[in-house]
Structure formats: structure tokens, C-alpha cells
Amino acid sequence: MENTTLISLAEKYGCPLYVYDAEKIISQYERLKNAFSGVKSLKINFATKALSNISILKLMKSLGTNLDCVSIQEVQLGLKAGFAPKEISYTPSGVSFEELEKAANLGVKINIDNLPMLEAFGTKFPEIPVCVRINPNITAGGNQKISIGHKKAKFGIPTNQISLVKDIEKNTGMRINGVHMHTGSDILEVAVFLEAAEVLFSAAKQFKNLDFIDFGGGFKVAYKKNDSATNVEEFGSIITKRFNNFCKDYGKDLSIIFEPGKFLVSESGNFLAKVNVIKETEFVTFAGIDAGFNHLIRPMYYGAYHHITNISNPNAKEKKYNVVGYICETDTFGEDRMINDIKAGDILSFQNAGAYAFTMASNYNSRFRPAEVMVYKGKDYLIRERETMEDILNKQIEVDL
Ligand code: LLP
């Protein structure tokens, strides 16, 4: 998005502010769809957790995506946004049986990743088909926290337990209708996706009544200029051939499913924050902003890189800064960053703030969560108001002892 557009939005709505470019989301969706256009039945389930604002979900619906949801609340949001139950896949980890039951009663597609719940579910709802999540036993992803397909990860059923899954299928009379995996997030190499896919193909072969294979999400996007990103076109062309051959051998045209979060929305987002203070010491020049890890936690939690620019003064000489937040513990957004000369009052823009940015925000330090704006064809739409003191106090009960 143009700096001038972002500045005028910061002036109109105040900071801190999340701004999403709907056209970027649309073009990413089109790119992904085209990459897999050689498959008869492709479904793209947007990973809701990445950006769950209801207006973004409605945009996804209008594009034709389905949803991947990890909690019953995400399912409810999806339904409210207009998705039909059959367009929602519920892919939880370690939830209670009651939550699975709720999802079943709402009619959404169910994905289960452990044997006890599979057995309990099949016993109670033998008529509802279920997808099982397989652990691909592959270590991949941008960092340890988001590498979740390794053999010690809590996710998925190990491949050596597939025979037990089949026993449960037989004994309960339920039907396993899909196999699923998600190896991790920020995975660059096509080879890793292909290696993981082979694990899933061998799992899939062992089930006789599948409707789909779900390869999860995890495509890496660029975080800065000249940064590398997953070549989805290359992956698409290889996996398409492999998948079509698999279907031939399997004797049925299955659907192929992907669950991208970052790929669809990461680059669409800019997070705008105002500089409160420039503080110079013998060692460091700090730019202190009116935000903290309560608003964007990825740099502190994962060491994630978010490119920071001074959109108020983009042509000034560059200087070295540590960009820090106002939270009562270390919250460094960027260390030793070369940024155009920053003055108090300038607006800084953080890129790649579309995925896992607002959705991971909190009220730590009793701060308000930011407003969110969506821009489409030059028009801006406020899609979430900034919180107020009422939101902070909401649900609190005052007790005087
Ligand atoms: N499917 C499943 C089952 C997942 O668990 C995830 C993400 C996705 C799909 C989407 O992955 P993506 O395409 O967005 O990489 N908060 C972290 C990312 C956590 C991802 C968790 N699962 C971050 O900010 O990097």
C-alpha cells in the first residue's frame, strides 16, 4: 500500500492501527488457485486463526475459500460470516469430547488427531465421517515453535498407529473420509512439502473410503525485499501430477485441500504505530512507539522479522534504531534497524502484519487492542473499532472485601 494512503488512514483512525489490503488477499488467493488448477477438485481452507476478523472471513467466503478452524469459537465465527457447515473444517488439538460433540451438532467437518477421541467419537457418532490427522514425522518450519510435524510434536497420529485407526474404523462402523497433516509454518522448500506429501499418500492408501487428502498450510511468504518464498507454482505443478496419479491408482477422484494462513493474508497487512519518543544513549538510539508486544508479538515470541519503515519521512537519511514498545518488559520490534530519520510523532509501518498479528494481540498492561481497517479499491472500511475502557472492564466483577 502507498505510504500516503497509510498516513491518511493513521490520521483518520489513529494509531496503533492494523490495515489490510483486500486486493493483496485476492491476488494471493488467485495465485494459489492457479498453482493447483490441474487438479479436478481443489479446496482452499483459509486458516482462520491467522486473521479472524469477520469481514475478512466474509471476503474469503466471497472468493470461494472454505475455512479451517481450530476452536469451536472460530467455527461459530465462520458460520456467522456465512459459511455453510460443510464449508468449515474443524481441526482442533487436544480438545474435550464436549467440544467435538458441539462441532458435530453444528454439522461441520471433523478432524481428529488422537486415538481415544477417535474411538469415543466413532462410538457415539458412527454415521458422521471423520478425517484423521497424521503426524508426518518431519521437522520443518521457520522456528522451533511453529515446527509441529516432528515425531515428538503433540499433533497428529503417528503413522505406525494407522492400523489402530483402522481397527477403530472397523469396530465402531464409522468412516474415515480424509487424511490430513500440517508440518509447520514458514516452510520454504518445495522438497519438504513433497516429502511430507509422500507420507500422507502412504497413509491415504491404507484407507478405502476417502473423499479428500488435506496437506495443511505452511507456505512461506517474503518478509523483506529479495526474501525467498515458497514457489507454490513449482510445488503445484509437481503435486498435481503426483496427486492425479494417486487418484488413478486409488480408483477415485479425491479432493485436494490446502489450509494456508500466512500465504493468503500475511503480506496484506500493515501495522501502523506512532513514535512517542526518541531516546538516545551512548550505545543505542531507541524509537519508542505507542504499541508493544500486546499488539504484535511475533518479533518477541518467535524472533520474527517484520520490516519497519518510517512512512512519515521515507526519504530522510537512514540511521540505526532499536524500535521498542511501551510494555513494562523488553519488547523490541527490531534491533539495529536502518530506518529513515525518525522524529517523535512519525508513523512507523510494520509489514507482514496480516497473519498472526491482530489475532495474537492481548490486553496486557490493560492496553486497548488496536482498530482494524480493510482497504478495497481505494476505499477504506473500519472493520474493528479500537477498544475502550469499557472493553477492559467488560466481564470483570468488582468485589470489595
Ligand atoms: N493448518 C493447521 C492445522 C495449522 O495448525 C496451521 C497453523 C495452518 C493450517 C496454517 O499455517 P500457515 O499457512 O499460516 O503457516 N503464530 C505462528 C504461526 C502458527 C501456525 C499454527 N498453525 C506465527 O505467527 O508464525
Side-chain angles (χ1 to χ4, degrees), residues 3-4 13 36 42 44 81 87 119 140 162 171 175 208-209 274 331 374 377:
N3 283 351
T4 47
Y13 296 104
F36 302 102
L42 165 73
I44 295 176
E87 294 167 336
E119 184 159 34
I162 288 179
N171 296 340
R175 175 166 78 95
K208 294 286 158 266
N209 291 302
K274 191 178 251 174
D331 60 345
M374 177 167 67
K377 292 197 171 158

Side-chain angles (χ1 to χ4, degrees), residues 32-262:
L32 206 55
K33 220 173 58 169
N34 289 337
F36 302 102
S37 57
V39 183
K40 269 207 185 122
S41 170
L42 165 73
K43 296 203 171 101
I44 295 176
N45 293 358
F46 172 54
T48 307
K49 71 196 101 176
L51 181 54
S52 55
N53 185 293
I54 193 157
S55 296
I56 298 290
L57 300 185
K58 286 184 154 194
L59 168 65
M60 294 296 176
K61 168 84 189 140
S62 74
L63 296 178
T65 77
N66 289 346
L67 288 188
D68 175 62
C69 295
V70 289
S71 69
I72 200 73
Q73 291 79 10
E74 281 188 357
V75 167
Q76 284 162 338
L77 262 178
L79 292 170
K80 177 114 180 47
F83 287 87
K86 65 173 181 8
E87 294 167 336
I88 296 178
S89 291
Y90 173 58
T91 310
S93 165
V95 297
S96 66
F97 188 72
E98 288 70 36
E99 193 164 316
L100 285 173
E101 256 182 322
K102 265 191 200 160
N105 290 330
L106 289 170
V108 299
K109 293 185 167 166
I110 311 263
N111 187 332
I112 295 182
D113 86 334
N114 63 80
L115 299 176
M117 288 294 171
L118 186 69
E119 184 159 34
F121 193 88
T123 306
K124 177 134 193 201
F125 301 106
E127 72 288 358
I128 300 182
V130 164
C131 169
V132 285
R133 179 171 181 166
I134 303 295
N135 178 318
N137 188 6
I138 287 175
T139 306
N143 62 66
Q144 213 189 346
K145 287 198 178 79
I146 58 177
S147 165
I148 60 174
H150 56 88
K151 66 175 181 221
K152 288 191 173 169
K154 68 170 177 168
F155 304 94
I157 297 173
T159 48
N160 63 4
Q161 292 182 0
I162 288 179
S163 60
L164 301 176
V165 173
K166 292 183 54 157
D167 288 347
I168 292 172
E169 185 181 27
K170 194 162 155 225
N171 296 340
T172 58
M174 74 191 306
R175 175 166 78 95
I176 303 299
N177 68 344
V179 287
H180 164 265
M181 70 172 185
H182 174 73
T183 308
S185 199
D186 276 341
I187 301 173
L188 174 66
E189 302 84 5
V190 167
V192 171
F193 286 101
L194 292 171
E195 185 190 343
E198 286 309 320
V199 177
L200 207 54
F201 283 129
S202 5
K205 264 202 300 223
Q206 302 177 53
F207 295 94
K208 294 286 158 266
N209 291 302
L210 298 184
D211 296 326
F212 61 88
I213 301 182
D214 182 340
F215 293 95
F219 303 128
K220 184 185 176 307
V221 294
Y223 281 83
K224 52 182 135 175
K225 224 179 173 178
N226 301 325
D227 192 11
S228 39
T230 312
N231 186 337
V232 291
E233 287 76 14
E234 185 193 344
F235 176 53
S237 89
I238 302 175
I239 198 77
T240 298
K241 278 194 207 106
R242 178 70 181 94
F243 185 77
N244 289 343
N245 281 336
F246 178 86
C247 291
K248 223 180 267 164
D249 293 344
Y250 192 76
K252 181 176 174 189
D253 280 327
L254 303 177
S255 296
I256 192 167
I257 302 181
F258 294 99
E259 299 168 350
K262 282 179 186 161

Side-chain angles (χ1 to χ4, degrees), residues 18 271 292-297 356-364 367-370 387:
Y18 277 101
F271 178 58
F293 72 63
N294 52 322
H295 296 148
L296 177 62
I297 201 171
Y356 309 101
F358 186 94
T359 52
M360 293 181 79
S362 76
N363 290 116
Y364 187 42
R367 294 286 184 182
F368 306 146
R369 288 184 305 160
E387 289 179 337

Side-chain angles (χ1 to χ4, degrees), residues 310 313-317 340:
N310 180 1
N313 208 356
N315 299 316
K317 199 164 166 265
N340 303 103

